Amino acid sequence: MANQPVILNVYDMYWINEYTSSLGIGVFHSGIQVYGREFAYGGHPYPFSGVFEITPGDSSELGDTFKFKEAIALGSTDFTENDIEKIVEELGKEYKGNAYHLMHKNCNHFSSALSEILCGREIPRWVNRLAYFSSCVPFLQSCLPKEWLTPAALQSSVSQELQEGLEEAEEAAAAAAASTSTAVPRPARHTKL
């Protein structure tokens, strides 16, 4: 079998971690690395997957406020790379961009869920401690910078997904127009919903 290492890559998300991480408090992003690929999750306003892929450990793909902190070996997996792609795709159905929530469904929850599937182990609790603290301060999520919720790599992925959806819609409209070109045109009508 494959016996591939499963690694948790942890990123500092803000300069304040330099002062608070020694107290066991910090703002962290995480992703799971396997087969030389890193999978992570972030929020966006659309009802499709918020899961994205970056080059392992490359914080520049996440944005300016992210800094690579450390890699933590979690275990190993016997899943093939193809199996992992299918697992990540299925998790993407649960981890949609518009379902992101700082306390209940964030990047660290995703990393822990994927890690449990791949090697039967959760991520270390300190990585997601902010979710616990934010449950004590419910308005905290609305105070965070957008780039914390939607990393640059995910923004790029979302833009590509939206562009592909737009192209598909345009092709369908063109095909529909071509098939009804012999029909008598009707005036356009807008219905208020």
Side-chain angles (χ1 to χ4, degrees):
M1 279 286 185
N3 201 24
Q4 285 290 311
V6 176
I7 298 166
L8 176 72
N9 287 327
V10 181
Y11 302 83
D12 283 319
M13 289 179 60
Y14 203 56
W15 60 269
I16 200 165
N17 283 3
E18 293 176 21
Y19 305 102
T20 61
S21 61
S22 62
L23 303 172
I25 301 169
V27 181
F28 304 108
H29 170 77
S30 68
I32 294 293
Q33 177 182 333
V34 63
Y35 285 101
R37 300 164 71 184
E38 183 174 334
F39 301 98
Y41 170 65
H44 59 70
Y46 307 103
F48 52 79
S49 178
V51 177
F52 61 100
E53 182 178 342
I54 66 168
T55 305
D58 189 352
S59 61
S60 68
E61 292 181 31
L62 295 169
D64 295 338
T65 62
F66 294 81
K67 180 180 161 191
F68 184 77
K69 180 177 177 59
E70 66 181 289
I72 301 169
L74 297 173
S76 62
T77 188
D78 289 330
F79 284 111
T80 66
E81 189 170 5
N82 191 41
D83 291 337
I84 290 171
E85 286 177 5
K86 290 175 185 172
I87 291 166
V88 168
E89 186 176 329
E90 282 301 308
L91 278 175
K93 293 175 183 175
E94 178 184 346
Y95 286 86
K96 294 180 180 179
N98 63 350
Y100 185 95
H101 190 279
L102 183 63
M103 295 178 284
H104 308 294
K105 191 172 277 198
N106 65 36
C107 57
N108 301 315
H109 291 108
F110 169 80
S111 292
S112 196
L114 182 55
S115 176
E116 286 182 64
I117 292 168
L118 297 182
C119 64
R121 188 167 170 210
E122 290 183 353
I123 67 172
R125 292 182 187 262
W126 64 264
V127 176
N128 206 20
R129 197 163 282 146
L130 176 64
Y132 167 75
F133 285 119
S134 67
S135 67
C136 301
V137 185
F139 63 87
L140 183 61
Q141 183 171 343
S142 64
C143 299
L144 298 178
K146 177 186 155 214
E147 58 271 12
W148 287 14
L149 306 178
T150 310
L154 179 57
Q155 289 174 17
S156 174
S157 175
V158 167
S159 295
Q160 181 178 356
E161 180 111 10
L162 290 173
Q163 182 62 38
E164 289 170 3
L166 180 60
E167 289 169 3
E168 288 173 11
E170 288 172 348
E171 289 171 8
S179 68
T180 60
S181 62
T182 58
V184 177
R186 296 183 306 168
R189 204 170 71 194
H190 291 99
T191 305
K192 200 174 214 181
L193 299 177

